[in-house]
Amino acid sequence: MTIKKNARARVANLATMLALTLLVGCTSIPTMVPDMAMQQAHPVKLNGANGELSAKQSKAIIAKLQKNGDDTNIFDKHLALEAEIVGSPLVVGNKVELLIDGPTTYDAMFAAIESAKDHINMETFIIEDDEIGQRFAKALIAKQASGVQVNLIYDSVGSISTPTTFFDALKASGINVLEYNPINPLVTRKGWQVNQRDHRKLLIVDGQIAFVGGINISSVYSSGSFGRSKTTKNKQPWRDTHLRMEGPVVSEFQKLFMTTWSQQKGQTLAVKNYFPDYPVKGSEVVRAIGSSPDEPYSQIYSTLISAINSAETQVFITNAYFVPDPKLLTALKEAVQRGVDVRLLLPEKTDSTMVFYASRSYYDELLTANVKIYERQDALLHAKTAMIDGVWSTIGSTNLDWRSFTNNQEINAVVLGQGFGTQMQSMFEKDLESSTLITLESWRSRSIAARIKERAARLWARFL
């Protein structure tokens, strides 16, 4: 009798899933990119520590960046369009540091947390109750005890395996803890949607330092992906990228955190110096971009499409979950037709089998169009970065899949300039040394079983 009941339950669940799939499948494809032709291009304006720069100052800085870079339409065409799409300013006077893999990133984060004197704002998709999670909990509780106000946002689905006792300990210390879109129906909020998730990874210390990238709070990042850290039977290093920033642009990331806290009905924050004076820390020009499913289109994705369409020499993209929509496919193929060197660095192994095969279902089309595809070996690739024409770079939480485009809150930093672009290219080339180039000939010799899996996964592309 029990077996029959279980069987009926499985059939009922399957029927429900099929019904939902048909219902969603009948809806229109969401708008992910605005009509670029309808966007009016205005002169690019920059902000500094004391607000908006004059038109003359902005023009001089852009001219300097353009002079030091390769041939590109990024400065002539894309930046003005980017400003119209995004709305957040390009900010000068920043210092940025490229952080490769978990150990380097965590060391920088713990150092910043230890230096905190006023507040710490943290937003993460995953925070686990493991060795790394406990290290962060201990550090945050200690700072809260010292008088530093700690505010934490975590995603309910991303951190679903983390026990409530972990968060209870944080709350008991005085830390403000906010669960994003709780999946528990007893604590849901008005306007709650289970499919909308907070995929951002953001840490702000004293309003002076900001961290953004792809790294969650988890022990899977405990080892680096280069050197001696190689895949074993029970352990595989994760390859990811993060960014540390100081300077006026930190205020833009702070605004994004505050907006999420307010929209999620977080308790009133303690009065702290969340927007301090911002001295010039460096020479980098940075834009903070946050995307939300509540917006009519993905700001980060729209910006990337515009940048690719403006490329003249190179498009180097690294991404963990690559399930492109037609616009991205078209942008990549048309860039190749213009003579642009288009390279995709994708994972050879992944933590999501469905996304893995869905991604590979696009290989034949891209390889036929002469897009170069590399697969990272000896590590689980989780990074989300792009570098275009050596002068436009982005690092953040955004995957190139439909979930990131339409359902997730995401966050990225865009950094302009050849100096940082050179660092990005060096990182990309180092990854290529640990990667395999996929050729069209070898790809078409793959097994029938692999092809069947790819076709099946492709049917679910819009839901991944």
Side-chain angles (χ1 to χ4, degrees):
M1 178 67 71
T2 301
I3 295 176
K4 290 182 178 179
K5 285 183 178 179
N6 289 339
R8 285 197 295 270
R10 286 196 295 270
V11 170
N13 288 337
L14 179 60
T16 301
M17 290 177 63
L18 288 172
L20 288 173
T21 299
L22 289 172
L23 178 63
V24 176
C26 292
T27 62
S28 60
I29 295 177
T31 300
M32 293 184 290
V33 180
D35 186 349
M36 303 291 188
M38 296 297 291
Q39 302 292 323
Q40 294 184 358
H42 299 288
V44 177
K45 294 181 180 180
L46 306 181
N47 279 31
N50 298 314
E52 187 174 308
L53 302 182
S54 68
K56 184 177 180 180
Q57 289 173 316
S58 296
K59 186 176 180 180
I61 292 172
I62 294 298
K64 184 177 180 180
L65 290 171
Q66 189 169 11
K67 180 180 179 181
N68 294 333
D70 298 327
D71 290 338
T72 180
N73 279 324
I74 291 292
F75 299 106
D76 296 332
K77 178 181 175 182
H78 166 72
L79 288 187
L81 189 58
E82 180 179 281
E84 296 300 313
I85 293 172
V86 176
S88 61
L90 275 169
V91 184
V92 303
N94 305 286
K95 177 183 178 182
V96 300
E97 180 182 356
L98 190 61
L99 302 172
I100 298 176
D101 287 345
T104 300
T105 299
Y106 290 152
D107 285 347
M109 284 182 169
F110 284 124
I113 290 171
E114 179 61 29
S115 72
K117 295 178 175 59
D118 186 74
H119 70 274
I120 298 170
N121 288 341
M122 188 173 190
E123 185 175 356
T124 185
F125 182 60
I126 296 172
I127 182 166
E128 295 192 336
D129 185 17
D130 55 18
E131 181 182 356
I132 292 296
Q134 285 295 333
R135 280 187 65 193
F136 270 94
K138 183 178 179 180
L140 295 175
I141 289 172
K143 295 311 290 189
Q144 182 69 39
S146 72
V148 173
Q149 181 58 54
V150 180
N151 307 305
L152 170 67
I153 304 172
Y154 73 93
D155 185 78
S156 184
V157 170
S159 301
I160 193 171
S161 64
T162 305
T164 56
T165 53
F166 178 88
F167 299 109
D168 290 342
L170 297 177
K171 294 175 183 177
S173 73
I175 294 174
N176 291 326
V177 179
L178 180 61
E179 182 180 7
Y180 185 94
N181 278 1
I183 57 175
N184 183 348
L186 299 179
V187 294
T188 58
R189 306 182 184 98
K190 185 178 181 180
W192 167 89
Q193 293 189 43
V194 70
N195 206 32
Q196 293 187 1
R197 307 312 330 160
D198 188 357
H199 194 243
R200 295 175 179 177
K201 293 90 177 167
L202 173 64
L203 172 64
I204 299 171
V205 176
D206 289 345
Q208 302 279 6
I209 305 171
F211 293 83
V212 166
I215 296 178
N216 289 291
I217 309 303
S218 169
S219 289
V220 299
Y221 297 100
S222 294
S223 61
S225 62
F226 295 99
R228 297 180 180 178
S229 299
K230 297 298 181 181
T231 302
T232 63
K233 183 177 181 180
N234 299 317
K235 183 179 180 181
Q236 181 168 251
W238 283 48
R239 169 71 187 91
D240 216 329
T241 304
H242 227 70
L243 192 67
R244 180 188 187 278
M245 294 165 284
E246 289 184 77
V249 77
V250 175
S251 67
E252 298 301 319
F253 290 103
Q254 188 80 288
K255 291 174 187 176
L256 292 171
F257 179 90
M258 295 295 192
T259 298
T260 299
W261 190 274
S262 175
Q263 290 176 343
Q264 286 288 303
K265 306 295 190 292
Q267 66 184 77
T268 302
L269 295 176
V271 177
K272 290 290 181 177
N273 191 16
Y274 293 111
F275 295 94
D277 294 332
Y278 295 97
V280 172
K281 289 290 185 177
S283 58
E284 302 292 355
V285 180
V286 185
R287 190 193 302 274
I289 307 180
S291 282
S292 166
D294 295 327
E295 297 166 347
Y297 54 83
S298 168
Q299 295 184 9
I300 296 169
Y301 179 67
S302 302
T303 296
L304 178 63
I305 292 294
S306 174
I308 294 172
N309 288 339
S310 301
E312 291 290 326
T313 56
Q314 58 190 193
V315 172
F316 292 172
I317 293 175
T318 301
N319 209 268
Y321 308 103
F322 180 79
V323 186
D325 78 318
K327 285 186 180 294
L328 179 55
L329 286 171
T330 298
L332 294 172
K333 292 188 290 185
E334 289 183 348
V336 173
Q337 293 172 5
R338 297 195 304 272
V340 177
D341 181 8
V342 179
R343 305 185 190 189
L344 303 178
L345 177 60
L346 306 176
E348 186 263 341
K349 296 179 180 178
T350 182
D351 59 339
S352 175
T353 302
M354 185 75 82
V355 172
F356 178 73
Y357 283 107
S359 175
R360 286 183 153 208
S361 72
Y362 296 91
Y363 278 22
D364 195 284
E365 179 180 355
L366 290 165
L367 291 169
T368 300
N370 292 319
V371 173
K372 300 183 184 71
I373 300 176
Y374 299 81
E375 288 187 341
R376 181 62 156 82
Q377 309 293 306
D378 301 323
L380 195 152
L381 183 68
H382 193 254
K384 309 99 168 47
T385 69
M387 192 274 292
I388 295 175
D389 286 358
V391 296
W392 188 94
S393 304
T394 187
I395 295 172
S397 66
T398 309
N399 292 307
L400 298 181
D401 59 14
W402 290 73
R403 170 158 292 281
S404 279
F405 302 158
T406 62
N407 296 318
N408 287 349
Q409 279 218 143
E410 304 284 3
I411 194 165
N412 275 51
V414 170
V415 184
L416 296 182
Q418 191 177 40
F420 187 76
T422 298
Q423 295 182 51
M424 290 286 287
Q425 180 157 341
S426 296
M427 179 180 69
F428 189 84
E429 291 174 349
K430 187 175 182 181
D431 275 313
L432 292 189
E433 293 174 3
S434 300
S435 303
T436 298
L437 175 65
I438 307 299
T439 65
L440 184 59
E441 181 181 3
S442 66
W443 182 246
R444 288 181 172 173
S445 65
R446 69 196 186 283
S447 68
I448 296 297
R451 296 169 189 254
I452 292 174
K453 291 177 182 178
E454 291 159 17
R455 286 178 177 270
R458 179 73 168 261
L459 296 175
W460 294 87
R462 281 185 57 195
F463 311 106
L464 300 177

